Amino acid sequence: MFAPAMVCITSDPDRVRSELEAQMGFAGDLAAYRAVLDRQGLSGVHELLIAGDENEVEKGVERFASAGATDLAIIPMGTPEEKARTFAFFSR
């Protein structure tokens, strides 16, 4: 099963979540997307972000695998440096 995931390896996950909410928060107002968030018990798209250090991100990715995902499309988020760090982590 294919699953997309917004990911950021960062020392400041709260900042990245706040930025994501500011940029994409409108998605929670769309009926179809709101239904998906509600089924997962989430208040907004920012809660879908996997963010933190490498260990935290690894745990977040493992949750996708445990849920049945076989292919994960990583969407790097954050500053250019954080995006590069995230990309490097998944390129290993």
Side-chain angles (χ1 to χ4, degrees):
M1 175 183 9
F2 172 82
M6 296 176 290
V7 180
C8 182
I9 295 181
T10 179
S11 61
D12 192 356
D14 291 335
R15 176 192 47 82
V16 180
R17 284 191 182 89
S18 293
E19 291 171 356
L20 180 60
E21 178 65 14
Q23 294 170 1
M24 299 293 296
F26 69 89
D29 295 332
L30 304 172
Y33 209 80
R34 178 78 260 152
V36 170
L37 293 171
D38 287 346
R39 278 194 298 272
Q40 296 180 57
L42 304 175
S43 66
V45 67
H46 63 287
E47 292 186 83
L48 295 169
L49 177 69
I50 299 171
D53 64 20
E54 288 82 355
N55 289 331
E56 291 173 283
V57 166
E58 188 76 40
K59 290 175 188 174
V61 169
E62 287 172 2
R63 286 193 297 273
F64 275 82
S66 295
T70 57
D71 296 287
L72 193 61
I74 301 300
I75 304 163
M77 305 299 290
T79 65
E81 293 80 14
E82 290 166 333
K83 289 178 183 178
R85 185 175 169 194
T86 301
F87 184 77
F89 177 74
F90 285 99
S91 296
R92 58 185 166 110

